[in-house]
Amino acid sequence: MRIVLDLQGCQSVSRLRGIGRYSLALAKAIVRNAGDHEVWIVLSDLFPDTIEDIRASFEGLLPSERIATFSLPKLTPYQGAHDWRARAAELIREYAIAELEPDLVHISSLFEGYVDTSMTSVKAFDKTTLVAVTLYDLIPFLNPAKYLPDEGRRQHYYAKIEALKRADVLLAISEYCGEEARRELGIPASRIASISSAVADSFVRLEQNDADVRKLYSRFGISRPFLMTTGIVEPRKNLDGLIVAYSKLPKELRQRYQLFIVCQPTDLDRTRLNELARKHDMSADELVLASYVSDRDLIALYSQCQLFVFPSLHEGFGLPALEAMACGAAVIGSATTSVPEVIGREDALFNPLDLDQMADMMHRALTDEAYWQSLRDTAPERVSKFSWDATGLRALEAFESAYAQRSGAELSTGSSVIARKSAESRYRSLVGALSRLGASGSDIDLIASADAIAANQRAQRVRQLLVDVSVLSAFDAKSGIQRVTRSILLSLLNSPPAGWAVRPVRLDRQEMAYRYANDYLRSVNAADAEFQDKDEWVDTQQGDIFLGLDLIADTAPAAVGWFTAQRNRGVQIYFVVYDLLPVLRPEWFHEGIALCFPSWVETIARVSDGLIGISRAVIDDVKGWLEGAAPVRLRDLKLGYFHLGADIENSQPSSGLPDNADKVLEALRSKPTFVMVGTVEPRKGHVQAFAAFELLWADNVDVNLVIVGKAGWGVEGLPERLSERAEQDDRFFWLQGISDEYLERVYGASSCLLAASLGEGFGLPLIEAAQKGLPIIARDIPVFREVAGDHAFYFEGDTPQALADAVQAWIELDRTGLAPSSVKMPWLTWKQSAEKLNEVVLEGKWYQTWGKLQGDPAKA
């Protein structure tokens, strides 16, 4: 079966309550025990801040591509049963889930959407797919005067009750809850499965030293040992009763033990409860009220409390009591509804309406050490009877039973009740259902709904590989990064990965959102007919991939909202990193790059699913930076690398020769010629190299030096010196802005490549030289070792003399035939380079991951 779990219960206001914890734990248990079933999770895009947390919760359990979001028109909290947009959203949600073509949909929390923008429904649009619902309790149904005080809330709740009755499977969280549904709602027992509950694995007794306890007490305003309960401020939790019962304890006990209540009180609640305590002669320090408490602190409090009291009048299960027992607390509680199923011993139960009896049991637990110890000793055995895996298996058995029953009915009748509609017929059915809603929505309603429908259409869609060409599409300066971007893009377009549509995209710098780069696509004669439109906004879907191939260091931080929204939709975000040198050695770069590059790195480290270096050396630098910067992430960051291609003819090479090309090439051939390729800037080593050759020329070493590259920055008066020397000397040549065709000929006329760079991301000239069989002298840095291996002669030292000596040593080795040869040095074509990139991005051949725990200061 394909099972889809709607986890809005982990997104809504319920995420801060037991329902949120239960929903998440049950979903994990279902995923762990699914076997051959295919499990998906769907989330609402109306709660964007919750999506990454939930994805992180399932890391390692469920492939990220199986966590999808559905889009709804923007809603406001409950607007009434006849609100057009809300009714349309019901249909659109079911349509979005139907696009996944599930066999069964499970709703973790049906009774949502009155105080927030959750949207749940059962068979409002999709009448045939099996629907399962978790039922926690029927408390408002049984006590409408207390819990349904106004007409809007009543309408909303009773509509959910009717939806509950339409569900094919009801998962009751306790035997009592299931029996209540059968008795009060008339739901057949055959559709009800009691699946029970359990506690998260993290809920175990926490050993704390005196310092830990002091910090805990200080954090929550506790001054001495304490009794404890948890529960929001509402009548059924009976917090008032607990306060009054506690006030009946002898004063010496109250002076020894405070009453600590985790209840998320409003200011009004806090005032009322404190006034109740004062009214019953409690001193100001006897009652401590706490707002939201993290699970980590809750475990510490459970572990430290002297006694946990659960005075609730009505529970669907009673998870806090089980959590406290799991943490080693002595627990007593109500003898009502489902609580006895949890606590499991009669002598630990009291009538929650008999406050004297509650007080007597608290008194016994606080003064009778043998009784208190027995409560603690029996807790582990009781807790062991509850398991999330067992709960998940019971849920799966209920799903399987309903599916088998449906399939059996089909076999016996010879009809297919659940025959799947085509994507087209499903869409037409939705349009028809929306048209039958009655009074039409406003134009704004219709536009919002249309946008949501379009975003939800996923059936039969081809996944997109979105390749960033933001800089290249604006102006091709023929730089190294742009050559990579152009070459990889063309390779991908010419040989698209099976099942993927390759689409170049560009950043709209005014809106900080991406458009398709269709105009650029046409400019490189690669546009298919279907992409003839103008550069419209990118339309993404879960499962697409964004590849940050171009370098947009100056604007990526401002576009973080777009990247975050795409990740929420289930788009994988990957960036190519060419090097980290502007961060590691900012003095090598002009101020603009040095200033913007750190924020670019910080941004991509936060918004990416993976970073891909153009060499192992680059990604090792990235990992080193991550270790130092420790960006806070909720999921692991994948790290990979690939090598660049080097067949210039497949990168749209430029052509053209200057008038003096033949004369220059003849001069290069006339004597040993050393060629340097790269922009004249500090890290490229031109200052050292030029000074080294001046030493050689002064010693009458008859060699040429040719520099191929534009004038850059940060090399003081070097460009002027180079220009002057090139005009006066037939042993030095500076070729600026030459074509790829001319560069090919220069390589062919030279004797040796000199790679003197102090830092590189890859070192493409080494590959280009090897293609021509040109020997290589290279500085001994990790990336050059990675690229050239034993096929180059390496030098160390940063003085002119050190390099001059290395050149003379190489000349001697070359004269005797012992200089390392580059002929057999391995290299890739651009097609092969793109294939290696695909292996990382599409096939998951990552180098390593950087763990989220390393970047989370809370875990340190």
Side-chain angles (χ1 to χ4, degrees):
M1 281 192 296
R2 179 175 293 171
I3 300 168
V4 173
L5 309 178
D6 181 336
L7 281 191
Q8 288 179 90
C10 298
Q11 296 185 277
S12 67
V13 292
S14 293
R15 73 185 185 277
L16 303 177
R17 300 168 52 195
I19 285 176
R21 289 210 300 275
Y22 188 99
S23 297
L24 185 62
L26 175 60
K28 287 184 176 180
I30 289 172
V31 170
R32 282 196 303 270
N33 295 280
D36 293 333
H37 300 306
E38 180 183 308
V39 179
W40 284 68
I41 287 170
V42 292
L43 304 168
S44 170
D45 70 351
L46 298 184
F47 299 89
D49 294 340
T50 66
I51 294 173
E52 182 65 9
D53 283 342
I54 296 170
R55 286 186 184 277
S57 297
F58 286 89
E59 190 168 28
L61 278 179
L62 190 68
S64 180
E65 58 267 24
R66 294 239 203 108
I67 302 177
T69 59
F70 56 80
S71 293
L72 296 178
K74 294 296 184 285
L75 299 167
T76 54
Y78 187 68
Q79 294 293 303
H82 302 294
D83 178 60
W84 189 92
R85 188 181 290 206
R87 294 170 68 203
E90 282 189 343
L91 303 175
I92 293 169
R93 170 192 161 274
E94 290 194 23
Y95 166 78
I97 295 174
E99 283 283 272
L100 293 172
E101 299 186 336
D103 295 300
L104 181 142
V105 177
H106 171 247
I107 301 172
S108 68
S109 185
L110 178 66
F111 293 84
E112 302 277 355
Y114 186 76
V115 296
D116 60 25
T117 56
S118 303
M119 178 52 63
T120 62
S121 59
V122 177
K123 300 182 186 293
F125 168 71
D126 182 355
K127 310 291 186 183
T128 55
T129 300
L130 293 169
V131 178
V133 174
T134 298
L135 179 64
Y136 299 93
D137 59 63
L138 288 175
I139 293 168
F141 184 82
L142 298 172
N143 302 278
K146 286 184 178 179
Y147 294 97
L148 306 174
D150 59 79
E151 183 60 26
R153 192 178 289 271
R154 279 194 296 275
Q155 286 185 2
H156 180 262
Y157 184 82
Y158 287 126
K160 298 300 184 184
I161 288 290
E162 293 306 309
L164 181 70
K165 293 177 181 178
R166 293 193 293 271
D168 301 283
V169 179
L170 191 153
L171 303 179
I173 66 170
S174 66
E175 293 284 353
Y176 182 88
C177 180
E179 172 58 27
E180 203 168 58
R182 186 195 64 76
R183 182 180 67 247
E184 301 295 338
L185 302 180
I187 296 176
S190 61
R191 286 163 49 195
I192 301 173
S194 175
I195 62 171
S196 193
S197 185
V199 296
D201 292 341
S202 58
F203 281 81
V204 294
R205 184 167 184 79
L206 181 66
E207 296 300 329
Q208 301 166 83
N209 59 36
D210 290 344
D212 293 332
V213 173
R214 284 195 297 271
K215 288 178 182 177
L216 182 72
Y217 278 26
S218 174
R219 195 150 56 243
F220 294 102
I222 302 169
S223 60
R224 55 185 183 271
F226 59 95
L227 292 74
M228 175 183 176
T229 196
T230 66
I232 59 175
V233 182
E234 61 171 80
R236 71 181 176 95
K237 293 298 184 179
N238 199 23
L239 301 182
D240 293 43
L242 174 60
I243 292 171
V244 174
Y246 169 86
S247 73
K248 294 175 178 289
L249 293 174
K251 189 169 185 179
E252 60 270 18
L253 270 183
R254 303 201 316 265
Q255 290 175 340
R256 192 186 311 169
Y257 299 106
Q258 288 178 301
L259 177 59
F260 178 70
I261 302 178
V262 179
C263 57
Q264 301 174 46
T266 64
D267 291 342
L268 203 60
D269 293 331
R270 189 180 294 276
T271 299
R272 187 184 64 79
L273 292 176
N274 281 321
E275 177 60 24
L276 177 66
R278 189 196 62 76
K279 180 180 177 182
H280 286 82
D281 298 324
M282 289 169 56
S283 60
D285 74 335
E286 289 182 34
L287 176 63
V288 180
L289 304 175
S291 298
Y292 173 72
V293 173
S294 70
D295 279 358
R296 185 177 180 84
D297 279 337
L298 189 59
I299 291 166
L301 291 163
Y302 282 150
S303 301
Q304 193 62 31
C305 74
Q306 181 70 13
L307 179 67
F308 185 87
V309 186
F310 199 53
S312 181
L313 302 175
H314 198 141
E315 288 292 325
F317 180 75
L319 187 59
L322 193 65
E323 289 176 340
M325 292 164 70
C327 294
V331 176
I332 60 176
S334 299
T336 59
T337 61
S338 62
V339 179
E341 294 180 45
V342 176
I343 295 179
R345 52 184 285 179
E346 290 187 13
D347 66 342
L349 301 173
F350 52 78
N351 178 352
L353 297 177
D354 187 337
L355 303 187
D356 289 328
Q357 187 184 54
M358 191 191 309
D360 289 343
M361 188 164 287
M362 286 192 288
H363 185 276
R364 182 185 179 190
L366 294 173
T367 58
D368 184 338
E369 186 172 351
Y371 174 65
W372 176 83
Q373 190 64 49
S374 75
L375 292 174
R376 295 190 63 193
D377 290 345
T378 58
E381 180 184 358
R382 188 64 190 165
V383 171
S384 70
K385 297 183 182 298
F386 300 87
S387 157
W388 276 119
D389 282 329
T391 295
L393 284 168
R394 292 186 197 108
L396 285 164
E397 288 168 3
F399 298 165
E400 291 164 349
S401 176
Y403 185 72
Q405 187 175 356
R406 168 71 62 83
S407 300
E410 290 181 355
L411 287 173
S412 64
T413 61
S415 64
S416 178
V417 177
I418 57 171
R420 298 199 191 282
K421 293 181 177 180
S422 68
E424 177 65 22
S425 64
R426 191 160 46 237
Y427 171 72
R428 292 186 179 278
S429 295
L430 175 62
V431 172
L434 289 169
S435 69
R436 292 190 293 273
L437 285 180
S440 177
S442 67
D443 287 346
I444 294 176
D445 289 335
L446 295 173
I447 292 170
S449 297
D451 286 344
I453 293 167
N456 290 323
Q457 290 177 324
R458 67 182 76 227
Q460 301 176 355
R461 277 183 55 135
V462 177
R463 288 185 295 175
Q464 299 178 103
L465 179 57
L466 306 167
V467 182
D468 190 354
V469 295
S470 295
V471 179
L472 180 65
S473 63
F475 175 67
D476 187 352
K478 310 296 183 183
S479 69
I481 289 177
Q482 290 179 316
R483 175 186 288 184
V484 176
T485 302
R486 181 174 62 249
S487 302
I488 292 292
L489 174 66
L490 290 174
S491 296
L492 291 171
L493 289 169
N494 291 332
S495 300
W500 290 85
V502 178
R503 301 292 304 272
V505 297
R506 65 173 179 84
L507 182 65
D508 183 316
R509 292 171 180 259
Q510 288 200 326
E511 299 297 331
M512 287 300 160
Y514 274 83
R515 295 179 178 272
Y516 291 111
N518 292 334
D519 284 343
Y520 175 74
L521 198 58
R522 284 187 286 276
S523 75
V524 295
N525 299 317
D528 294 332
E530 62 180 308
F531 300 150
Q532 292 299 318
D533 297 331
K534 289 290 186 181
D535 290 6
E536 71 273 17
W537 297 112
V538 169
D539 178 18
T540 60
Q541 189 52 266
Q542 183 271 336
D544 290 345
I545 287 177
F546 171 89
L547 178 63
L549 188 58
D550 219 338
L551 178 61
I552 52 167
D554 60 328
T555 50
V560 70
W562 188 88
F563 291 117
T564 301
Q566 299 314 305
R567 286 192 86 198
N568 284 345
R569 285 187 62 74
V571 176
Q572 299 287 301
I573 305 292
Y574 301 121
F575 279 91
V576 172
V577 182
Y578 292 90
D579 61 64
L580 280 192
L581 296 174
V583 173
L584 303 178
R585 297 295 299 268
E587 70 274 14
W588 289 349
F589 298 88
H590 65 67
E591 186 178 3
I593 290 180
L595 287 175
C596 73
F597 214 80
S599 61
W600 175 74
V601 177
E602 291 163 6
T603 297
I604 65 174
R606 285 188 289 111
V607 304
S608 299
D609 294 280
L611 301 178
I612 307 155
I614 59 172
S615 64
R616 186 178 62 248
V618 167
I619 214 64
D620 285 341
D621 282 346
V622 169
K623 188 179 181 189
W625 178 86
L626 290 167
E627 299 288 353
V632 176
R633 290 180 56 88
L634 295 174
R635 288 188 280 155
D636 288 348
L637 179 64
K638 293 177 282 192
L639 302 176
Y641 69 92
F642 71 114
H643 282 178
L644 302 181
D647 49 331
I648 293 179
E649 65 272 15
N650 285 320
S651 62
Q652 284 197 333
S654 56
S655 59
L657 301 173
D659 294 339
N660 68 340
D662 288 339
K663 180 180 177 181
V664 170
L665 293 171
E666 182 60 33
L668 301 186
R669 295 188 192 100
S670 68
K671 64 188 66 172
T673 295
F674 295 82
V675 58
M676 299 180 71
V677 179
T679 303
V680 177
E681 58 182 83
R683 70 184 172 101
K684 296 293 186 176
H686 293 97
V687 172
Q688 181 190 9
F690 187 69
F693 274 82
E694 287 187 313
L695 291 176
L696 292 171
W697 293 325
D699 285 343
N700 297 315
V701 179
D702 193 18
V703 292
N704 290 329
L705 174 63
V706 56
I707 293 176
V708 178
K710 300 175 183 178
W713 55 88
V715 283
E716 299 173 349
L718 182 63
E720 291 75 18
R721 290 178 59 203
L722 295 182
S723 295
E724 182 180 352
R725 187 70 182 242
E727 292 172 359
Q728 298 176 358
D729 196 334
D730 61 0
R731 292 175 297 182
F732 175 71
F733 304 86
W734 186 17
L735 309 179
Q736 300 188 58
I738 68 174
S739 68
D740 291 326
E741 179 186 4
Y742 194 7
L743 176 59
E744 286 267 284
R745 298 197 185 191
V746 169
Y747 276 135
S750 299
S751 308
C752 182
L753 173 77
L754 175 57
S757 182
L758 296 157
E760 288 290 338
F762 184 67
L764 191 58
L766 277 68
I767 300 291
E768 294 173 341
Q771 289 178 303
K772 310 301 178 188
L774 197 64
I776 300 167
I777 298 176
R779 190 183 299 275
D780 195 356
I781 58 177
V783 69
F784 287 166
R785 287 280 184 180
E786 179 183 344
V787 171
D790 295 331
H791 303 283
F793 177 83
Y794 295 97
F795 75 93
E796 296 179 342
D798 55 7
T799 64
Q801 190 62 58
L803 180 52
D805 291 344
V807 170
Q808 287 195 304
W810 179 88
I811 291 173
E812 181 59 27
L813 288 172
D814 185 59
R815 186 183 64 79
T816 59
L818 297 177
S821 171
S822 67
V823 172
K824 294 185 178 180
M825 193 172 94
W827 57 276
L828 303 176
T829 65
W830 281 113
K831 182 176 184 296
Q832 291 170 326
S833 178
E835 289 170 351
K836 291 296 183 183
L837 179 59
N838 285 343
E839 287 179 5
V840 177
V841 172
L842 304 182
E843 299 176 25
K845 294 185 178 180
W846 295 93
Y847 172 47
Q848 55 187 232
T849 60
W850 185 75
K852 60 182 180 294
L853 295 183
Q854 295 168 275
D856 185 352
K859 305 292 186 183

